[in-house]
C-alpha cells in the first residue's frame, strides 16, 4: 500500500445487463484489493427497469443517487429493440452534461495482436451535440430530417478539455477532425473554435484533418496521431475503430466527463450471448474504473491497478477474446482474470509503458470564455414546402405571392433548381424557398414574414417549417444554396 490517506468516496455503481454483472464484480474486486476506498451505492438500471414500462430505463432513486455521488461506474446495458425505448447512455450523458468522452486506445504489442504496435491514440469525442440531439422529423412523403446542432460553448469546452488533457498527460499534439469543407457552418464552427483554443496552447502542436482522409489515415497509420478531438458522430465511429485496431474493443475503457458529474464504463456492450458463462473480458470496465480512480483523487490506486493489469497482459494471462496461441500462456475466465490481476498488484510491467497517475490528482476543469453578443438581424426567411408540382409552376406561385419580398432561390435537397436549374437534377417533394427583402442588407420586420406565410397558405402552399435568415454583426448566418 502507498502513503495516501484515503477517505471512502461515494460512488454509484450499476451492474448492468448481459455480461455486466460478471465484469463489474471482477472490476470491483480488483480495485478494492488494489486499495480503492469507495462507498458504493448500487442502482438498478437497464433491462429490468425497461421491462417495468420505464422507457428511459432509469428510475427516480437512481437519478437521486447519481445526483448525490456525482460519480458513476456503469456496466453495459442492453437497450431493448424496437421503438419507444430511449438509449440510457444518451439520456445520462445529456441530463448531466457529460460533454467529453475520453477513450484511450494504446496498443499492447506484442502481447495483444495488432497491425499497429506503436499506436497510442486518445480520442476525445464531443458527447452531447451534433446529430445526437434526436431531433428528427418526417416532413413530406419522401423526406425525413435530423437536425445537426453544434454550439460554440459546447465545442469550446470539449476542445479545451482535449488540450488540457494533452498537457496533463504529457502528450504533444492535438488533432481535430471535421467535415468543414461541406458543413461550413456547423463543422466550420467546430474547426474555428479548435483553432482559437489551439492558439492558447503554443506548447502543443495542433492540426486539422478533413474527417474522411483523417479516418483513412487513422486506420492505416494511427501512430501519426496523439490526442484527437472531434464532433459526436465522427467520434462515436472512430473511437471504436481506434479501439479495434489497437487490439480489441473489449480492452477499451471510457470516461464521460461533465463539470459536475462523471460516468466511467467499458466501450463495448452487454454481449448477451456471453452472459453468465464466466468468459467475458473485464478489462474495458476495469480501465474505465482506473479513469474513475484518477478522477476521484485515488491516482496511486489507479496506477497500482493499471500496472498490475499491464503485467497480467504481458504475462500472457488472457481471456478468450484476446487469446493468441503465439503469445498467450493461459486462457482464463472473467473471475480467473481478476485473480491474476490481483495476484500482480504491486508489480510493474516489464516491457509495456507503465501507467503513472500520481501527479494527476487535480481534476481537469474547463471554463467557457465570455463573448460579446453579436447584433442579430432578420434579413429573410427559408420557407420549406411539400409539393409535387414542377419547379416552374411552384416558382410562379411563389413569385405571385412574394409581395414586397424577393424569391431569391429554390433548392431541392440543397441543390439550387431555381432560377436557372438543370433539367437533369433529381427532385423530391421537399423544397427550400428563400425569400429576402429587396434590399438584402436591410433588416426585415417579422410581420413581413408572417404576412408572406399567410399569403402562401392562402395560395395552397402551407409550410413544413421555416428558418429565419439572420445576420450577426452584418455577417450572413446562413449558407448559400449549392450552385447559388
Ligand atoms: P457488444 O459490444 O455487446 O458485443 C459484440 C461482441 O463483442 C460480442 O458478441 C462479444 O463477442 C464481443 N465482446 C464484447 N464485449 C466483450 C467482452 N467484455 N469480453 C469478451 N467479448 C466481448 O455489442 P452488441 O452485440 O452490438 O450489443 C449488445 C447490447 O449492448 C445491445 O443491447 C446494445 O444496445 C448494448 N450496448 C450497450 C452499451 C453500453 O451500455 N455502454 C454500448 C454498446 C452496446
Amino acid at each position: 500500500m502507498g502513503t495516501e490517506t484515503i477517505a471512502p468516496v461515494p460512488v454509484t455503481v450499476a451492474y448492468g445487463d448481459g455480461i455486466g454483472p460478471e465484469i463489474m464484480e471482477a472490476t470491483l474486486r480488483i480495485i478494492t484489493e488494489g486499495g480503492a476506498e469507495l462507498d458504493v451505492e448500487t442502482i438498478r438500471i437497464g433491462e429490468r427497469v425497461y421491462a417495468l414500462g420505464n422507457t428511459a430505463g432509469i428510475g427516480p432513486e437512481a437519478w437521486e443517487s447519481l445526483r448525490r455521488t456525482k460519480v458513476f461506474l456503469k456496466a453495459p446495458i442492453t437497450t431493448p429493440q424496437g421503438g419507444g425505448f430511449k438509449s440510457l447512455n444518451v439520456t445520462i450523458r445529456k441530463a448531466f452534461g457529460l460533454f467529453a468522452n475520453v477513450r484511450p486506445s494504446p496498443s499492447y504489442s506484442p502481447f495483444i495482436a495488432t497491425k499497429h504496435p506503436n499506436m497510442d491514440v486518445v480520442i476525445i469525442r464531443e458527447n452531447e451535440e451534433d446529430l445526437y440531439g434526436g431531433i428528427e422529423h418526417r416532413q413530406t412523403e419522401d423526406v425525413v430530417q435530423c437536425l445537426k446542432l453544434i454550439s460554440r460553448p459546447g465545442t469550446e469546452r470539449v476542445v479545451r478539455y482535449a488540450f488540457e488533457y494533452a498537457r496533463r498527460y504529457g502528450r504533444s499534439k492535438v488533432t481535430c477532425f471535421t467535415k468543414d469543407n461541406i458543413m461550413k457552418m456547423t463543422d466550420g464552427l467546430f474547426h474555428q473554435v479548435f483553432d482559437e483554443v489551439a492558439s492558447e496552447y503554443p506548447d502543443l502542436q495542433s492540426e486539422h484533418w478533413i474527417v474522411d482522409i483523417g479516418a483513412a489515415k487513422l486506420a492505416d497509420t494511427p501512430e501519426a496521431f496523439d490526442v484527437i478531438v472531434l464532433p459526436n458522430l465522427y467520434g462515436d465511429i472512430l473511437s471504436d475503430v481506434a479501439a479495434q485496431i489497437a487490439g480489441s474493443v473489449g480492452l477499451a475503457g471510457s470516461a464521460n466527463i461533465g463539470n459536475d458529474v462523471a460516468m466511467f464504463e467499458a466501450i463495448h456492450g452487454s454481449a448477451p450471448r456471453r452472459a453468465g458463462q464466466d468468459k467475458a473480458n473485464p478489462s474495458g470496465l476495469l480501465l474505465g474504473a482506473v479513469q474513475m480512480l484518477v478522477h476521484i483523487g485515488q491516482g496511486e490506486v489507479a496506477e497500482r491497478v493499471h500496472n498490475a493489469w499491464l503485467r497480467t497482459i504481458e504475462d500472457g494471462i488472457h481471456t478468450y477474446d484476446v487469446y493468441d496461441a503465439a503469445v498467450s500462456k493461459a486462457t482464463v475466465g472473467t473471475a480467473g482474470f481478476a485473480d491474476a490481476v490481483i495476484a500482480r498488484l504491486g508489480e510493474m510491467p516489464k516491457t509495456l509503458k507503465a501507467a503513472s497517475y500520481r501527479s494527476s490528482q487535480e481534476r481537469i476543469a474547463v471554463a467557457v470564455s465570455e463573448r460579446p453578443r453579436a447584433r442579430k438581424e432578420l434579413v429573410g426567411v427559408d420557407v420549406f414546402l411539400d409539393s409535387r408540382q414542377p419547379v416552374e409552376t411552384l416558382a410562379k406561385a411563389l413569385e405571385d405571392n412574394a409581395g414586397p419580398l424577393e424569391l431569391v432561390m429554390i433548392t431541392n435537397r440543397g441543390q439550387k433548381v431555381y432560377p436557372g436549374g438543370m433539367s437533369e437534377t433529381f427532385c423530391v417533394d421537399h423544397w427550400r424557398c428563400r425569400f429576402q427583402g429587396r434590399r438584402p442588407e436591410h433588416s426585415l420586420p417579422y410581420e413581413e414574414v408572417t404576412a408572406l406565410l399567410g399569403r402562401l397558405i392562402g395560395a395552397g402552399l402551407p409550410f413544413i417549417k421555416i428558418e429565419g435568415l439572420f445576420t450577426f454583426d452584418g455577417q450572413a448566418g446562413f449558407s448559400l444554396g449549392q450552385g447559388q
Side-chain angles (χ1 to χ4, degrees):
M1 290 291 294
T3 51
E4 281 172 302
T5 23
I6 301 171
V9 175
V11 164
T12 301
V13 165
Y15 280 74
D17 304 319
I19 59 171
E22 298 154 63
I23 60 173
M24 181 59 84
E25 202 189 308
T27 296
L28 289 177
R29 199 151 62 81
I30 296 167
I31 63 174
T32 305
E33 290 289 333
E37 289 291 343
L38 306 177
D39 180 5
V40 170
E41 291 187 14
T42 304
I43 58 168
R44 182 166 291 177
I45 55 171
E47 246 176 346
R48 273 184 283 176
V49 180
Y50 284 117
L52 294 173
N54 179 326
T55 55
I58 176 165
E61 323 75 53
W63 283 119
E64 216 273 303
S65 171
L66 292 170
R67 238 181 243 122
R68 192 170 47 245
T69 67
K70 304 186 191 314
V71 182
F72 189 18
L73 181 61
K74 182 185 137 296
I77 301 295
T78 302
T79 311
Q81 299 284 319
F85 297 107
K86 294 234 161 55
S87 157
L88 192 53
N89 274 338
V90 177
T91 305
I92 292 172
R93 283 174 196 158
K94 295 197 138 195
F96 289 119
L98 308 183
F99 61 89
N101 185 205
V102 183
R103 294 181 167 196
S105 289
S107 98
Y108 302 103
S109 179
F111 308 102
I112 304 282
T114 172
K115 293 177 189 142
H116 309 285
N118 298 317
M119 79 177 280
D120 187 10
V121 173
V122 177
I123 295 215
I124 300 188
R125 159 190 173 193
E126 193 290 310
N127 220 9
E128 296 181 276
E129 305 193 340
D130 195 4
L131 289 158
Y132 286 65
I135 308 175
E136 295 192 296
H137 298 94
R138 179 168 177 179
Q139 299 187 312
T140 68
E141 188 60 33
D142 292 343
V143 174
V144 287
Q145 78 161 14
C146 176
L147 213 53
K148 171 162 168 136
L149 294 173
I150 302 278
S151 78
R152 175 174 269 278
T155 303
E156 186 179 339
R157 53 188 191 161
V158 71
V159 170
R160 267 188 199 287
Y161 189 89
F163 279 94
E164 287 293 327
Y165 182 97
R167 254 189 198 162
R168 166 71 54 88
Y169 290 102
R171 301 218 162 223
S172 56
K173 185 169 72 171
V174 183
T175 304
C176 173
F177 285 180
T178 71
K179 188 76 183 171
D180 67 339
N181 55 331
I182 301 297
M183 283 161 280
K184 296 193 164 69
M185 299 201 64
T186 47
D187 282 24
L189 178 62
F190 199 95
H191 184 176
Q192 186 190 332
V193 172
F194 175 80
D195 286 346
E196 289 168 13
V197 173
S199 70
E200 296 174 33
Y201 293 80
D203 50 316
L204 295 168
Q205 294 171 54
S206 63
E207 62 177 12
H208 172 268
W209 289 68
I210 299 293
V211 63
D212 41 13
I213 191 63
K217 180 82 175 172
L218 175 68
D220 183 63
T221 322
E223 56 278 11
F225 298 107
D226 194 346
V227 174
I228 305 179
V229 63
L230 63 187
N232 206 339
L233 178 63
Y234 314 140
D236 192 1
I237 298 166
L238 292 180
S239 57
D240 271 27
V241 170
Q244 186 63 29
I245 64 173
S248 164
V249 283
L251 295 179
S254 126
N256 296 270
I257 304 288
N259 278 339
D260 207 22
V261 176
M263 171 169 84
F264 302 87
E265 58 184 345
I267 74 164
H268 61 75
S270 58
R273 282 185 303 131
R274 306 282 177 194
Q277 297 162 30
D278 187 35
K279 278 194 163 172
N281 186 349
S283 299
L285 186 60
L286 181 68
L287 294 180
V290 164
Q291 288 181 277
M292 176 188 78
L293 291 168
V294 175
H295 177 81
I296 62 175
Q298 298 185 16
E300 197 177 333
V301 183
E303 197 174 296
R304 192 179 308 125
V305 168
H306 198 163
N307 285 325
W309 178 83
L310 288 165
R311 182 60 179 271
T312 309
I313 295 294
E314 280 186 349
D315 285 349
I317 315 295
H318 293 165
T319 43
Y320 82 94
D321 55 314
V322 291
Y323 183 85
D324 176 354
V327 284
S328 302
K329 303 257 168 23
T331 336
V332 286
T334 313
F337 185 81
D339 294 339
V341 178
I342 291 166
R344 286 164 180 76
L345 286 165
E347 293 185 36
M348 300 294 282
K350 288 181 181 159
T351 311
L352 296 170
K353 190 170 153 235
S356 168
Y357 299 117
R358 282 169 205 239
S359 58
S360 29
Q361 305 280 334
E362 286 275 299
R363 279 187 203 166
I364 295 173
V366 291
V368 171
S369 8
E370 289 288 329
R371 286 165 58 88
R373 295 185 76 82
R375 188 169 40 86
K376 178 180 174 188
E377 288 184 292
L378 181 74
V379 295
V381 62
D382 277 350
V383 183
F384 290 76
L385 294 174
D386 177 347
S387 170
R388 292 207 167 264
Q389 299 176 47
V391 64
E392 297 75 19
T393 318
L394 180 63
K396 170 86 175 53
L398 294 173
E399 301 270 18
D400 289 348
N401 290 283
L405 300 179
E406 185 181 358
L407 174 65
V408 178
M409 67 167 175
I410 304 175
T411 66
N412 195 287
R413 292 180 301 164
Q415 176 65 34
K416 191 182 74 150
V417 290
Y418 178 88
M422 299 196 355
S423 56
E424 292 86 351
T425 304
F426 174 71
C427 290
V428 295
D429 56 0
H430 184 271
W431 310 86
R432 186 264 302 261
C433 312
R434 175 162 292 177
F435 293 89
Q436 285 184 265
R438 304 239 166 230
R439 290 185 302 171
E441 67 283 4
H442 283 67
S443 76
L444 214 59
Y446 276 81
E447 292 72 21
E448 289 205 8
V449 172
T450 48
L452 169 73
L453 297 176
R455 288 193 298 277
L456 294 179
I457 292 167
L461 294 167
F463 59 89
I464 303 163
K465 74 160 185 175
I466 65 163
E467 202 75 62
L469 304 179
F470 300 99
T471 56
F472 292 82
D473 285 341
Q475 298 259 347
F478 45 91
S479 59
L480 299 179
Q482 201 74 35
Q484 190 184 2

